[in-house]
Amino acid sequence: MATTVGAGFLDPQPLVGPFPSGAPAIFIDQVARIGGSAGIVAAVGDDDFGRLNVERLKRDGVDVSAIATVAGKPTGSAFVRYRPDGARDFVFNITHSAAGETKMTDAAAALIGRAGHVHVMGSAFAIPGIGAILLEAIGAVKARGGSVSFDPNIRKELVQGGDGRKLVDDMISVTDLLLPSGDELLVAAGEATEAEAVERLLDRGVGEIVLKRGSEGSTHFSKAFGRVDCAAFKVQEIDPTGAGDCFGAAYLTSRRAGLPPSAALLYANAAGARTVTKQGPMEGVSGKAELDQFIAAAGREEKA
């Protein structure tokens, strides 16, 4: 991560890191830290960057048995720099890295065989052949009564073509919990307004929609609970990378633990807020006790 604010990487500049990262890794690390039983299907290179990621996930309680080590390919990486308006410039090495070799291995099949829920991140669509793995995992979990959540992380450009639109529509058709940010809700539904998008997605069978609104907090929509809003926590932002991933992980894990949407949103907002106070995508990932202390210090209470 660049330590200076500006556009791109065309000039020599100081960087800080490396940090363990990757949206699915951030998400699953937060699930484990808050008390969920969770694993990840992934691939890394036989290098220090790969070991850095695997060791962090393992230390935080993630099942890393389905992370393959691919000889001859480097671990996927990203260089990030923030612009003055908060937008980011990236240099990625994903498709041609070990991540691009992610496959349905015996270890991956065994992990999926133990799962009651599958979480899919739209950023994973950049990995060639990931669709087949997702379909197999979703089919297996759904067949035994499990559930699916989807963080679309999609842009309008992705869904303009027939294949991109079909990919999103196929995922939404099996999604129980949708976790969009901002305009992703409108893109996912193909509607012009928030209310229209929510109505269409719920009518299509999505059980819950949780809209991430950044500094404006978050909102739950469902036919069972209606609309539930939760205000954001006010913190000093250091690095917003990973905030949405930690938010979604905390919400999902809280709901699977039996908490109602109001309490799950409170934990999710707290997890996202704590994340932005640390430099590095996974450095602000929180345990349950840390979230409880953070919520209490802010003068807010968990709603049972």
Side-chain angles (χ1 to χ4, degrees):
M1 304 187 74
T3 60
T4 59
V5 175
F9 294 93
L10 296 177
D11 299 308
Q13 58 195 270
L15 303 170
V16 62
F19 295 109
S21 187
I26 300 168
F27 184 97
I28 209 68
D29 196 73
Q30 178 60 82
V31 170
R33 283 292 307 279
I34 201 174
S37 175
I40 182 171
V41 177
V44 298
D46 186 13
D47 53 35
D48 283 351
F49 289 172
R51 286 184 278 276
L52 175 73
N53 276 278
V54 175
E55 288 305 312
R56 164 61 72 83
L57 294 173
K58 185 177 180 180
R59 185 194 77 190
D60 287 350
V62 175
D63 184 333
V64 298
S65 61
I67 301 180
T69 300
V70 181
K73 288 288 185 83
T75 298
S77 60
F79 291 80
V80 187
R81 190 183 191 194
Y82 284 90
R83 295 184 177 188
D85 64 358
R88 292 175 289 179
D89 288 326
F90 291 94
V91 175
F92 286 112
N93 173 32
I94 303 297
T95 302
H96 301 292
S97 73
E101 300 293 319
T102 303
K103 295 179 173 61
M104 181 59 79
T105 62
D106 290 343
L111 178 66
I112 292 165
R114 301 192 297 273
H117 183 90
V118 176
H119 179 69
V120 178
M121 310 206 73
S123 57
F125 293 162
I127 300 174
I130 198 69
I133 298 174
L134 296 178
L135 288 174
E136 186 172 343
I138 290 169
V141 171
K142 280 279 194 177
R144 55 177 176 267
S147 52
V148 174
S149 54
F150 179 37
D151 185 337
N153 192 20
I154 52 179
R155 297 178 175 85
K156 293 179 181 178
E157 292 77 13
L158 174 65
V159 297
Q160 285 175 347
D163 290 344
R165 182 72 254 176
K166 185 177 185 304
L167 189 63
V168 172
D169 286 342
D170 286 348
M171 272 306 310
I172 289 174
S173 70
V174 296
T175 293
D176 300 287
L177 168 62
L178 184 67
L179 292 156
S181 298
D183 286 346
E184 290 175 358
L185 174 66
L186 308 182
V187 177
E191 296 289 352
T193 70
E194 180 179 297
E196 292 171 343
V198 168
E199 182 178 8
R200 182 177 184 187
L201 291 167
L202 294 180
D203 286 345
R204 289 180 61 185
V206 176
E208 297 182 33
I209 302 167
V210 175
L211 182 60
K212 294 170 278 185
R213 301 184 186 275
S215 62
E216 299 300 315
S218 57
T219 304
H220 160 101
F221 301 95
S222 70
K223 291 186 176 181
F225 294 92
R227 174 172 178 155
V228 181
D229 292 300
C230 186
F233 290 87
K234 293 184 179 180
V235 295
Q236 182 65 43
E237 181 180 291
I238 304 296
D239 176 13
T241 307
D245 305 319
C246 289
F247 171 97
Y251 182 86
L252 170 66
T253 310
S254 296
R255 289 289 284 138
R256 285 183 58 76
L259 295 183
S262 56
L265 285 176
L266 189 64
Y267 275 115
N269 281 2
R274 287 195 83 251
T275 300
V276 308
T277 65
K278 302 288 185 179
Q279 178 79 36
M282 291 167 64
E283 305 315 298
V285 171
S286 307
K288 175 70 161 49
E290 292 170 317
L291 293 179
D292 286 334
Q293 292 170 4
F294 179 82
I295 291 168
R300 295 167 68 172
E301 295 182 358
E302 175 192 342
K303 297 178 182 180

